[in-house]
Amino acid sequence: MVEPNLLHAPILEWYEDNARDLPWRAPDATPWGVLVSEIMLQQTPVVRVLPVWLDWMERWPKPASLAAEPPGEAVRHWGRLGYPRRALRLHACAKAITDEHGGEVPSDHATLLSLPGIGEYTAAAVASFAYGGRHAVLDTNVRRVFARAVRAEEYPPTATSAAERRLAESLLPELGAPRWGVAVMELGALVCTARSPRCADCPISGACAWRLAGKPPHAGPARKGQTYEGTDRQCRGRLLAVLRAAHGAVPKEALDVVWDDAAQRERALDGLVADGLAEVLDDGTYRLPHA
């Protein structure tokens, strides 16, 4: 295994010179702002998240301000970030923080895990980045860096494994764990990327097990890119865009015109209602959720 000291100093020094200036990393960023950013950044690039995050923080600077709104407003202002159920989870999380924790985002990892929609990664990220806790923060970028640098594997497993958690915990420095976590994350996002890693620019290329092994190709199942055009997900997005643009209920006809395939459209609309992203009223009109 690579000695942790061969990774710590180079990555931290690289981060000092190359870190992006992002508002949720600023010294005055609130725990709520960190939590919102972590939910928004799941499967979504920074460039798309930034304007939406800024809008949310201006509109709902505290959990209580979001909790006071109907959940449909969270969906409306989620915009085109995708995976809009995350907006509902954030709204439910804001209500729980307001009702059960005095409006303050908990600092304890276990308590964070008890909040609606908060999983292991998000709990560790908020406890670490917002409160300075010593936790292994394992997002896709971090997992890829560790897979290559330590395990000589091009990609990590599909799902986070216990072995990965043990490895990440063993690499945590005694001091400065939050900065280490965000530095590795940034390295994976900017240099050790999935498709075209920039090994010549990597601060740990001399110690990287994957590079030293000759960059062996991924031995697992072929990694397939996600398709979007023509999918139920695209159809749901079109329907949801109509509901977001309307400040009130819309007739079924207004939804019918945005997608030609009637069977797929009805399936997608039923899915939105089942997921709590839309409501159908007694008169057959549809709206964003109000409760």
Side-chain angles (χ1 to χ4, degrees):
M1 176 175 163
V2 177
E3 282 293 323
N5 289 339
L6 294 178
L7 304 180
H8 288 163
I11 291 178
L12 289 168
E13 289 172 5
W14 173 89
Y15 180 71
E16 189 70 28
D17 294 333
N18 294 277
R20 288 171 291 183
D21 183 16
L22 301 174
W24 48 83
R25 293 179 181 167
D28 61 350
T30 65
W32 171 241
V34 172
L35 189 154
V36 172
S37 76
E38 291 298 339
I39 298 294
M40 287 184 172
L41 286 163
Q42 293 170 10
Q43 304 180 66
T44 310
V46 165
V47 67
R48 290 177 58 198
V49 166
L50 185 56
V52 181
W53 184 91
L54 291 170
D55 176 64
W56 271 54
M57 288 299 100
E58 181 177 355
R59 188 178 302 274
W60 300 308
K62 296 181 179 180
S65 52
L66 175 57
E69 297 265 20
E73 289 306 297
V75 176
R76 188 188 313 281
H77 292 282
W78 193 252
R80 298 180 61 82
L81 285 184
Y83 307 102
R85 277 178 287 183
R86 291 181 293 168
L88 292 181
R89 291 200 293 269
L90 260 174
H91 185 271
C93 191
K95 284 189 67 67
I97 292 170
T98 302
D99 296 342
E100 301 168 19
H101 301 283
E104 298 296 327
V105 176
S107 60
D108 176 69
H109 180 270
T111 307
L112 285 162
L113 272 175
S114 72
L115 296 174
I118 301 298
E120 172 61 36
Y121 165 76
T122 306
V126 174
S128 181
F129 301 151
Y131 290 109
R134 188 173 182 270
H135 299 280
V137 182
L138 278 171
D139 79 339
T140 302
N141 290 314
V142 173
R143 295 176 63 224
R144 186 170 57 250
V145 170
F146 289 164
R148 290 173 178 170
V150 181
R151 300 162 64 98
E153 298 170 356
E154 185 178 15
Y155 299 117
T158 302
T160 305
S161 66
E164 286 182 282
R165 295 195 187 283
R166 289 193 296 271
L167 171 61
E169 289 166 1
S170 74
L171 292 172
L172 281 174
E174 288 300 321
L175 299 175
R179 191 164 185 81
W180 163 251
V182 74
V184 179
M185 194 178 296
E186 193 80 332
L187 183 67
L190 300 182
V191 175
C192 193
T193 58
R195 295 184 181 275
S196 303
R198 295 165 37 216
C199 297
D201 299 325
C202 180
I204 56 169
S205 61
C208 176
W210 182 60
R211 191 190 70 82
L212 294 174
K215 299 183 180 179
H218 181 57
R223 298 166 64 88
K224 298 179 180 179
Q226 290 184 330
T227 57
Y228 183 69
E229 193 70 27
T231 62
D232 281 8
R233 185 174 163 228
Q234 184 185 31
C235 180
R236 283 164 60 103
R238 294 268 184 89
L239 297 170
L240 204 54
V242 174
L243 299 178
R244 285 202 315 267
H247 289 273
V250 300
K252 180 67 162 47
E253 293 77 14
L255 298 168
D256 289 342
V257 298
V258 301
W259 198 263
D260 291 335
D261 186 327
Q264 187 179 28
R265 185 180 65 240
E266 294 304 312
R267 182 171 67 245
L269 187 56
D270 287 346
L272 290 176
V273 173
D275 289 341
L277 290 164
E279 293 178 347
V280 56
L281 305 184
D282 292 341
D283 62 358
T285 59
Y286 290 77
R287 70 180 183 187
L288 292 175
H290 276 232

